[in-house]
Amino acid sequence: MNDEFESILDECISALQAGIPIKEILAEVPDYADQLRPMLYAAAVLADPNPVLVPTERKTALRAEYMKQVATLPQKTPTWQDKGQAIYHILRKRLTYQIVLSDLITVTITAILTLTMATLILTFIAKDSLPGDTLYSLKRMAETGQLLIPLSETYRRGLEESFNQRRLNEIEQLSQQNRAAMVEFSGVLERKGDKLWIIEGYPVVLPDDVTIQGQPQEGDTVHVIGLLRTNHTLVADTIRN
Amino acid sequence: MSNEATLLERIQRHDQVALAEVYDLYFDQIYRYIYFRLHEPEAAADLAAEVFLALVTALKSDKPPRTSLTGWLYTVARNLAADHIKHKSRTVPLLDEIIADEPSLSEQTQWVHLMPLLTNALHQLTDDQQQVIALRFGQGLSLVETAEVLNKSIGAVKALQHRAVAMLARLMPEVEHE
């Protein structure tokens, strides 16, 4: 009851300060009118509509004295402690759960998008690279990635054949440019000599330290890793079937 | 960041422009607050000026307001006004004497004519009640703002306001309201 009356009184005082006549205010709260009336008349006297001010001349003089004192204040350059406190206040305002979560999501999405875009751009640039080029490993990684995507066996084999054809084309291009590089490809072992095998039409020299895995026979498909020399000779490093 | 918070930060760095802004922004408010309590224009102006000089002194001694500039200024003003009231030598006339000196109330057409009576009646309120009245009526602050300045709950300010206005109403002479 008391709290309710105090609230009503405060609302009436605010109404009075807003210029509403006492009679109108009391008419809104008839149950409390008798109790409120003397208080509102007292409040009406208090609510001076023309507040007093210091005469301008005096105020100017007081201000001048104040500014004279202000001028004596030493210049204050922020200390490391001040800077630290300022950073702390900024961080404290920033480090709310929602803001941190929102920042984290934004940073993650931005990082993923940036990485994806960068990979796509570099893969596009690397698509014509040859063994020995800087971006060649990226080209091979992109191919490996494609093979990792779970697709049908037929599609996967098609991709493997397509990639192997690229390897053979790369050897052709390297030969045309007289470049030496480590190459690899898969192909049919067409003829098996002592030191020279013909694999997918390419003569492959077998040095003494060559590694041969399995027992490849003519007609088998073998995978060759070797060095293509500038004289177009392909020296095998590893052959496996 | 609010304007007051920015101002506070700037004055902590002894920014002279900010200190001038503080004066221009708060001087009238502080003066009216003190005037409302003392009803002595000269003394109120001197004390209001002292409030701002106290701010400079606080900055010099590296004890500036930390959280609320308004709260700090009003606290200093309140203390200075309280000291002034405590130490002034003049005798406050009794309310009955004042009433006796006043023209008959039936002759009064404006409520403001009762101000001198009420001014003296104000001195009979407790310090807290006077603060609330000075801020609510002298400054026109809202209940919430008054509570912030006095660092009290809204409920406490409402109660103080109620008791103060009721007391003043009792001290007011019978008035024909129509």
Side-chain angles (χ1 to χ4, degrees):
Chain A
M1 170 66 189
N2 211 34
D3 187 54
E4 187 191 351
F5 181 77
E6 282 163 4
S7 297
I8 291 169
L9 172 64
D10 187 67
E11 283 167 24
C12 291
I13 287 169
S14 296
L16 192 69
Q17 287 174 327
I20 299 170
I22 292 176
K23 273 172 77 175
E24 285 180 30
I25 297 170
L26 292 175
E28 292 292 321
V29 281
D31 293 347
Y32 297 101
D34 288 342
Q35 210 177 340
L36 283 169
R37 185 174 290 107
M39 294 187 190
L40 290 188
Y41 279 110
V45 180
L46 288 169
D48 185 355
N50 300 305
V52 285
L53 292 171
V54 179
T56 313
E57 214 170 279
R58 179 91 200 279
K59 193 175 162 185
T60 308
L62 291 171
R63 190 183 190 280
E65 178 56 34
Y66 166 74
M67 290 311 294
K68 214 163 90 181
Q69 292 300 318
V70 167
T72 64
L73 277 172
Q75 286 294 318
K76 197 175 182 189
T77 47
T79 62
W80 284 107
Q81 193 185 356
D82 293 337
K83 289 174 186 172
Q85 275 178 350
I87 291 168
Y88 169 73
H89 286 306
I90 292 165
L91 285 179
R92 210 175 63 170
K93 281 187 180 175
R94 289 283 306 161
L95 286 179
T96 64
Y97 174 73
Q98 277 134 337
I99 291 175
V100 168
L101 188 69
S102 157
D103 285 355
L104 209 63
I105 290 169
T106 309
V107 167
T108 308
I109 291 172
T110 309
I112 289 171
L113 285 175
T114 309
L115 208 64
T116 308
M117 285 298 292
T119 308
L120 286 173
I121 291 167
L122 286 173
T123 308
F124 180 78
I125 295 168
K127 76 180 172 52
D128 293 327
S129 61
L130 293 173
D133 288 348
T134 313
L135 294 176
Y136 185 71
S137 56
L138 196 68
K139 180 182 180 177
R140 295 301 301 274
M141 276 169 63
E143 290 176 358
T144 309
Q146 278 179 274
L147 289 171
L148 288 174
I149 298 167
L151 299 163
S152 71
E153 188 60 25
T154 319
Y155 187 80
R156 206 176 73 86
R157 278 194 189 148
L159 269 182
E160 281 177 343
E161 281 172 22
S162 155
F163 294 154
N164 192 54
Q165 189 55 50
R166 279 188 198 171
R167 302 292 86 81
L168 295 170
N169 292 342
E170 286 164 7
I171 293 169
E172 289 293 326
Q173 287 179 53
L174 287 168
S175 297
Q176 282 168 16
Q177 295 172 21
N178 299 322
R179 282 173 59 183
M182 286 300 291
V183 296
E184 62 176 305
F185 66 98
S186 294
V188 177
L189 175 55
E190 295 168 354
R191 205 165 67 211
K192 192 178 171 188
D194 187 22
K195 292 286 181 187
L196 186 75
W197 291 6
I198 304 296
I199 303 170
E200 200 69 27
Y202 288 95
V204 179
V205 176
L206 275 67
D208 293 339
D209 58 349
V210 67
T211 305
I212 297 174
Q213 295 173 357
Q215 302 285 328
Q217 300 301 319
E218 287 181 1
D220 288 351
T221 299
V222 291
H223 189 78
V224 183
I225 299 172
L227 176 67
L228 178 69
R229 290 183 170 162
T230 49
N231 61 4
H232 308 173
T233 309
L234 207 163
V235 180
D237 180 64
T238 307
I239 297 175
R240 63 172 184 267
N241 71 340
Chain B
M1 201 183 272
S2 70
N3 281 345
E4 189 184 313
T6 313
L7 210 51
L8 189 61
E9 193 193 303
R10 287 168 61 202
I11 65 165
Q12 283 169 353
R13 296 200 309 261
H14 297 190
D15 181 335
Q16 297 195 5
V17 177
L19 283 157
E21 282 176 35
V22 167
Y23 191 91
D24 296 337
L25 205 59
Y26 295 105
F27 183 83
D28 287 340
Q29 286 182 35
I30 296 295
Y31 168 74
R32 283 203 296 272
Y33 170 75
I34 298 171
Y35 175 83
F36 205 89
R37 300 209 57 197
L38 307 181
H39 279 275
E40 296 172 44
E42 283 299 311
D46 287 341
L47 292 182
E50 265 189 57
V51 170
F52 291 90
L53 293 176
L55 177 63
V56 179
T57 307
L59 290 169
K60 274 182 186 166
S61 49
D62 209 19
K63 289 175 185 167
R66 298 281 176 199
T67 50
S68 166
L69 179 59
T70 319
W72 192 93
L73 292 172
Y74 276 110
T75 304
V76 175
R78 184 177 66 200
N79 293 338
L80 288 174
D83 280 352
H84 181 85
I85 291 165
K86 205 160 100 183
H87 293 117
K88 72 182 176 181
S89 54
R90 73 176 176 85
T91 310
V92 179
L94 292 171
L95 189 64
D96 292 344
E97 292 168 7
I98 299 162
I99 293 170
D101 290 343
E102 285 295 303
S104 76
L105 294 171
S106 58
E107 292 170 5
Q108 297 185 33
T109 52
Q110 296 290 325
W111 297 113
V112 286
H113 292 157
L114 294 170
M115 196 60 189
L117 297 176
L118 214 57
T119 301
N120 288 284
L122 279 169
H123 292 302
Q124 300 191 32
L125 302 178
T126 66
D127 189 55
D128 278 349
Q129 288 169 350
Q130 286 187 41
Q131 305 293 345
V132 171
I133 294 298
L135 291 169
R136 275 297 270 129
F137 294 94
Q139 298 293 287
L141 298 189
S142 70
L143 202 61
V144 176
E145 290 167 334
T146 306
E148 276 175 10
V149 168
L150 294 177
N151 199 22
K152 290 184 185 297
S153 71
I154 293 171
V157 173
K158 265 201 291 195
L160 283 167
Q161 176 178 253
H162 176 200
R163 284 197 291 274
V165 177
M167 166 76 91
L168 292 174
R170 275 200 298 279
L171 294 172
M172 289 278 283
E174 285 295 320
V175 181
E176 287 177 22
H177 299 313
E178 301 304 325

